[in-house]
Amino acid sequence: QVQLQESGPGLVKPSQTLSLTCSVTGASIATDYYYWSWVRQSPGKGLEWIAYVQNTGTTYINISLRSRTSISRDTTKNQFTLRLDSVTPEDTAVYYCAASETFRYENSGNSNMYDYFGQGTQVTISP
């Protein structure tokens, strides 16, 4: 059973950097064939995919966030990390890490594409 757990700050000031880490158990991010993703859901909005890292180390970032987003992994800890720079109140959302066996960008806003989700962590951007 794959389990994911998000960790990071719940409150970040505008213009600062948000860093969230996903710890994975029940699978290896280095060897198991999943797309390890970060997604978020803002109040009143649908699910927004942010980025993924594959078991190969290949990364892909949503073009709308690419200029200020990075995703990395630590295979020794079986964790992957999202970094979002220059945050604004519009980045306030519940952030989830997720795993999927397949990935199609046009389906990335549909929760059914994902096989596993973490419980989510609320992040608020406020002074």
Side-chain angles (χ1 to χ4, degrees), residues 1 4 8-9 13 16 18 22 32 35 53 61 63 71 74-75 83 86 93 97 100 102-103 106 118 121:
Q1 178 76 9
L4 303 98
K13 290 181 168 53
Q16 292 188 342
L18 168 64
C22 183
D32 287 307
Y35 295 85
V53 58
I61 300 171
I63 193 170
I71 186 169
D74 185 337
T75 57
R83 179 186 170 103
S86 304
C97 53
S100 60
T102 62
F103 183 88
E106 54 266 37
T121 186

Side-chain angles (χ1 to χ4, degrees), residues 42-56:
S42 303
K45 296 184 180 180
L47 200 64
E48 180 183 28
W49 169 76
I50 302 170
Y52 71 61
V53 58
Q54 291 181 268
N55 60 304
T56 58

Side-chain angles (χ1 to χ4, degrees), residues 5-61:
Q5 178 67 58
E6 305 88 352
S7 60
L11 180 65
V12 181
K13 290 181 168 53
S15 79
Q16 292 188 342
T17 294
L18 168 64
S19 182
L20 295 173
T21 295
C22 183
S23 300
V24 179
T25 57
S28 167
I29 65 169
T31 61
D32 287 307
Y33 190 79
Y34 285 103
Y35 295 85
W36 304 99
S37 286
W38 283 101
V39 299
R40 67 183 182 181
Q41 187 156 22
S42 303
K45 296 184 180 180
L47 200 64
E48 180 183 28
W49 169 76
I50 302 170
Y52 71 61
V53 58
Q54 291 181 268
N55 60 304
T56 58
T58 299
T59 62
Y60 186 48
I61 300 171

Side-chain angles (χ1 to χ4, degrees), residues 56-109:
T56 58
T58 299
T59 62
Y60 186 48
I61 300 171
N62 190 321
I63 193 170
S64 67
L65 297 166
R66 192 167 294 167
S67 64
R68 59 190 184 97
T69 301
S70 63
I71 186 169
S72 61
R73 64 177 186 167
D74 185 337
T75 57
T76 64
K77 296 181 180 179
N78 216 34
Q79 296 175 334
F80 60 104
T81 297
L82 173 73
R83 179 186 170 103
L84 184 63
D85 297 326
S86 304
V87 296
T88 72
E90 291 187 349
D91 294 310
T92 293
V94 178
Y95 285 75
Y96 300 90
C97 53
S100 60
E101 294 183 357
T102 62
F103 183 88
R104 291 177 64 89
Y105 178 75
E106 54 266 37
N107 295 336
S108 63

Side-chain angles (χ1 to χ4, degrees), residues 110-124:
N110 186 337
S111 61
N112 290 333
M113 187 186 79
Y114 303 92
D115 299 284
Y116 302 99
F117 276 98
Q119 64 183 24
T121 186
Q122 172 69 48
V123 176
T124 301

